[in-house]
Amino acid sequence: MTKFDELADRAIDNYGVVTSAEATEMGIALKDVQEWVNNGRLEKVGRGVFRLSKYPYNEYCHYAEAVALVGEGAWIYGDSVLAMHNLALVNPLYTFVATTKRVRRTLPNWIKVVKKGDEQDKDDYNGIPCQNLASVFIEAKERLMPERLQQSIREARNKGLVSVGDDERIKKAFGV
């Protein structure tokens, strides 16, 4: 297996996205990564973030890129989690990404960073770190139309996106 094949396998597991830190961790020189960008095998998405050129774009690639661009330890946050799960008919103008660290790099205009003190409500959905869905529903209580939010909660339960413990948190928060 070639170095590129190893990198491609890692990228495929993350919706076609790979970082220079991952490449270095795998023992791949950054000059090789740059060569693959130059010959069209990789596309540069942002500082230290690359996408396989031939990877088919799907609805989760956008979120995997956003997390990679913000950096290690970042996760999808707020209304962007609802959009990622296709719930509550939300279509936020920005992709909200939370992190506990300071972000110094220049990010695309479609990403808004939310600074958080801790990672207590961090979860994972299809390999993409995101805010716990129950927490999103509880925080959205004041922002979204009640009937739309209730429908979204039912839909999340039907899809199996909410655990039993999280369902109890939601019921307690909504007084059900």
Side-chain angles (χ1 to χ4, degrees), residues 36-51:
W36 296 326
V37 169
N38 293 340
N39 68 24
R41 294 170 101 180
L42 292 175
E43 297 172 18
K44 185 172 183 172
V45 176
R47 183 177 178 191
V49 180
F50 305 91
R51 177 186 327 118

Side-chain angles (χ1 to χ4, degrees), residues 104-176:
R104 295 182 183 184
R105 63 181 72 179
T106 303
L107 297 170
N109 293 337
W110 54 271
I111 296 176
K112 289 293 180 202
V113 176
V114 179
K115 184 80 166 100
K116 298 301 287 182
D118 59 18
E119 300 180 6
Q120 69 183 20
D121 284 336
K122 196 172 176 182
D123 209 344
D124 187 276
Y125 180 69
N126 286 344
I128 300 173
C130 62
Q131 183 183 10
N132 178 281
L133 194 54
S135 299
V136 175
F137 285 139
I138 293 167
E139 289 178 7
K141 185 176 167 182
E142 303 300 321
R143 288 192 325 275
L144 295 178
M145 295 183 337
E147 51 278 346
R148 184 176 287 178
L149 189 56
Q150 292 298 328
Q151 174 61 34
S152 297
I153 292 169
R154 281 191 297 276
E155 199 174 318
R157 286 178 185 137
N158 292 340
K159 289 180 177 180
L161 299 173
V162 180
S163 70
V164 174
D166 286 342
D167 196 32
E168 292 303 317
R169 279 181 52 208
I170 292 169
K171 286 177 181 176
K172 184 177 179 181
F174 286 90
V176 179

